[in-house]
């Protein structure tokens, strides 16, 4: 008889739980670099072992997320944590949270909402940008600095903190678990955004509201506004989006579709020259080329134009020239505009 040869499985390295253990350092300028090579994070630690490399990357990004949140609550940002759902006991109940500046709900001036895309922890725009460039541009810290200089209060949404385990809300289900506990009020990005509007934005005293969203965050915002846009339309001034996946045809409120057409710009991945108008009726708003092939870099590469759009619409700055004022206008003819209005009327009847 032949005995089956015993399979010897190679023991894989333990995944570190500190940046020091990973061999990386967070520099004062926000760069995350190898202590030995001064290079950005290398994903493929074990060749051809994607499962292990993904687990290692998640652990690494979680450590970076801790650093980002630590900085958000410290000077000069001073963000405060608000629990969701509002009646949850953090000591025992599943819960998530959002961040807001101290006067976000009491200011009578300007309030801006930051809503990130998929698979990112609160306070982050892009994990890739944080790793390749720095944690300031890859997170909301740089955008917060820009708007705070103009006198804005800020609320940071947390659309991906949906799954409850290990005593916190996570962006993805617990691996190898069949028991899934969702956070009440944050069962998904759309539910989270609607909850924040119903329990926080509704009570905010700001006379001017704006939003900056990334990919799925744009969809979540339009779905939240679609529920009761009449309540917000008189003070919601504009929305800047990056790689938004929202759809005009999914919006039921005709006045919201018209508002998006007039007050929303979506910067998107495109090989067209930067700043060029992209004709795409699916979004129902002006779409502008970022001249980027990788979606992660759309927001960071276009941030100056995005901020300029928000500040002009909100009345913080004057357009430098008439051309600048017209830059964000929809590139459509009067006939096309009439066709769009007719389409809006037809879809609202349907």
């Amino acid at each position: 008889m032949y005995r089956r040869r015993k399979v010897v499985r190679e023991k894989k390295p333990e995944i570190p739980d500190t940046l020091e253990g990973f061999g990386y350092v967070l520099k004062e300028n926000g760069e995350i670099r190898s202590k030995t090579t001064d290079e950005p994070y290398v994903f493929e630690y074990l060749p051809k072992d994607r499962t292990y490399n993904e687990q290692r990357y998640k652990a690494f990004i979680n450590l970076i997320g801790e650093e980002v949140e630590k900085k958000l609550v410290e000077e000069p940002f001073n963000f405060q944590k608000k629990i969701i759902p509002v009646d949850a006991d953090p000591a025992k109940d599943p819960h998530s949270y959002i961040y807001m500046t101290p006067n976000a709900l009491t200011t009578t001036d300007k309030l801006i909402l930051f809503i990130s895309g998929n698979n990112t922890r609160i306070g982050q725009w892009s994990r890739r940008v944080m790793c390749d460039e720095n944690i300031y541009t890859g997170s909301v810290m740089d955008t917060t600095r820009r708007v705070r200089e103009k006198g804005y209060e800020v609320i940071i949404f947390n659309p991906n903190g949906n799954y409850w385990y290990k005593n916190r809300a996570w962006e993805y289900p617990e691996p190898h678990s069949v028991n899934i506990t969702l956070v009440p009020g944050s069962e998904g990005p759309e539910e989270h955004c609607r909850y924040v509007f119903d329990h926080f934005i509704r009570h905010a005293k700001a006379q001017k509201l704006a939003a900056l969203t990334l990919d799925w965050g744009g969809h979540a915002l339009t779905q939240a506004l679609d529920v009761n846009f009449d309540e917000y339309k008189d003070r919601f001034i504009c929305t800047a989006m990056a790689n938004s996946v929202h759809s005009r045809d999914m919006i039921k409120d005709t006045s919201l579709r018209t508002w998006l057409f007039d007050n929303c710009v979506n910067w998107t991945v495109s090989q067209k020259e930067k700043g060029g108008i992209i004709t795409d009726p699916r979004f129902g708003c002006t779409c502008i080329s970022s001249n980027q092939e990788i979606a992660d870099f759309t927001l960071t590469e276009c941030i100056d134009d995005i901020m300029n759009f928000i500040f002009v619409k909100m009345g913080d700055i004057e357009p430098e020239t008439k051309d600048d004022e017209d830059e964000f206008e929809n590139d459509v003819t009067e006939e096309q505009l009439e066709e769009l209005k007719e389409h809006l009327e037809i879809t609202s009847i349907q």
Side-chain angles (χ1 to χ4, degrees):
M1 294 181 65
Y2 294 96
R3 288 187 297 178
R4 181 179 297 176
R5 180 178 298 176
K6 186 177 180 180
V7 177
V8 179
R9 295 185 178 180
E10 183 179 354
K11 187 177 181 180
K12 297 178 182 179
E14 288 190 13
I15 296 176
D17 57 5
T18 64
L19 282 180
E20 178 78 17
F22 274 94
Y24 287 81
V25 62
L26 177 59
K27 298 183 177 182
E28 288 189 11
N29 63 1
E31 292 181 345
I32 308 165
R33 295 294 181 263
S34 167
K35 293 190 297 182
T36 56
T37 66
D38 200 39
E39 293 294 320
Y41 182 81
V42 177
F43 177 82
E44 194 169 3
Y45 186 78
L46 291 184
K48 299 181 180 180
D49 193 337
R50 186 169 185 83
T51 300
Y52 174 84
N53 291 331
E54 286 182 345
Q55 292 174 345
R56 194 173 188 275
Y57 178 66
K58 284 182 178 180
F60 182 79
I61 286 298
N62 188 49
L63 292 172
I64 301 304
E66 295 289 344
E67 293 293 333
V68 169
E69 290 197 52
K70 187 186 302 181
K71 291 182 180 296
L72 288 176
V73 299
E74 297 174 344
E75 291 283 354
F77 303 111
N78 298 315
F79 277 100
Q80 299 175 349
K81 182 182 290 187
K82 300 295 181 181
I83 299 298
I84 293 177
V86 293
D87 57 353
D89 181 352
K92 62 180 182 179
D93 296 331
H95 64 277
S96 182
Y97 55 90
I98 59 176
Y99 282 123
M100 62 178 65
T101 47
N103 300 316
L105 299 181
T106 58
T107 183
T108 57
D109 193 11
K110 299 170 295 190
L111 172 64
I112 190 168
L113 318 176
F114 291 161
I115 310 177
S116 61
N118 287 336
N119 303 318
T120 52
R121 184 168 167 171
I122 186 171
Q124 301 176 9
W125 291 125
S126 168
R127 296 179 296 185
R128 181 168 186 170
V129 173
M130 288 195 302
C131 289
D132 289 1
E133 296 184 1
N134 64 78
I135 66 170
Y136 296 112
T137 55
S139 75
V140 301
M141 284 189 280
D142 179 63
T143 40
T144 296
R145 175 189 60 79
R146 290 168 180 259
V147 298
R148 292 292 279 167
E149 289 175 353
K150 296 293 184 182
Y152 286 75
E153 298 294 328
V154 183
I155 293 181
I156 306 173
F157 285 51
N158 188 10
N160 302 310
N162 313 132
Y163 303 96
W164 180 260
Y165 57 94
K166 294 182 179 179
N167 205 37
R168 59 159 280 197
W170 295 79
E171 302 80 49
Y172 41 82
E174 184 175 15
H176 313 300
S177 176
V178 295
N179 298 316
I180 297 178
T181 300
L182 296 175
V183 176
S186 289
E187 296 87 352
E190 298 88 345
E191 291 83 358
H192 172 82
C193 285
R194 182 172 177 180
Y195 189 94
V196 174
F197 267 87
D198 288 346
H199 292 81
F200 295 96
I201 311 302
R202 172 174 289 168
H203 305 297
K205 294 180 171 56
Q207 295 179 357
K208 290 184 176 182
L209 298 173
L212 173 56
T213 72
L214 182 63
D215 55 68
W216 196 264
H219 167 73
L221 173 66
T222 58
Q223 292 302 293
L225 287 175
D226 201 26
V227 175
N228 193 9
F229 184 59
D230 284 343
E231 187 173 345
Y232 302 102
K233 65 181 181 181
D234 291 337
R235 56 189 183 127
F236 219 115
I237 308 302
C238 65
T239 296
M241 299 177 171
N243 296 322
S244 181
V245 297
H246 75 280
S247 170
R248 177 193 64 195
D249 292 336
M250 292 186 66
I251 299 172
K252 299 176 182 178
D253 191 318
T254 303
S255 62
L256 175 56
R257 292 200 295 268
T258 303
W259 181 87
L260 282 175
F261 185 77
D262 293 331
N263 301 291
C264 175
V265 174
N266 181 25
W267 280 262
T268 185
V269 167
S270 171
Q271 294 182 347
K272 193 173 183 178
E273 65 177 351
K274 185 177 180 180
I277 299 295
I278 299 173
T279 303
D280 193 334
R282 295 174 301 172
F283 299 106
C285 66
T286 300
C287 293
I288 295 180
S289 170
S290 65
N291 192 229
Q292 296 293 313
E293 296 183 359
I294 301 176
D296 292 84
F297 297 100
T298 295
L299 191 149
T300 54
E301 290 299 317
C302 298
I303 191 62
D304 290 338
D305 293 336
I306 290 172
M307 290 290 102
N308 184 63
F309 165 73
I310 293 174
F311 294 154
V312 168
K313 293 288 285 187
M314 294 287 279
D316 301 309
I317 60 175
E318 293 291 332
E320 294 182 4
T321 65
K322 186 65 170 65
D323 290 339
D324 290 340
E325 190 174 11
D326 293 339
E327 179 181 358
F328 304 111
E329 296 296 324
N330 276 289
D331 187 21
V332 295
T333 65
E334 291 186 7
E335 291 182 358
Q336 290 172 321
L337 180 58
E338 289 302 319
E339 290 178 3
L340 176 59
K341 290 181 178 178
E342 182 179 347
H343 173 77
L344 294 178
E345 293 174 359
I346 293 173
T347 54
S348 64
I349 293 174
Q350 293 175 341

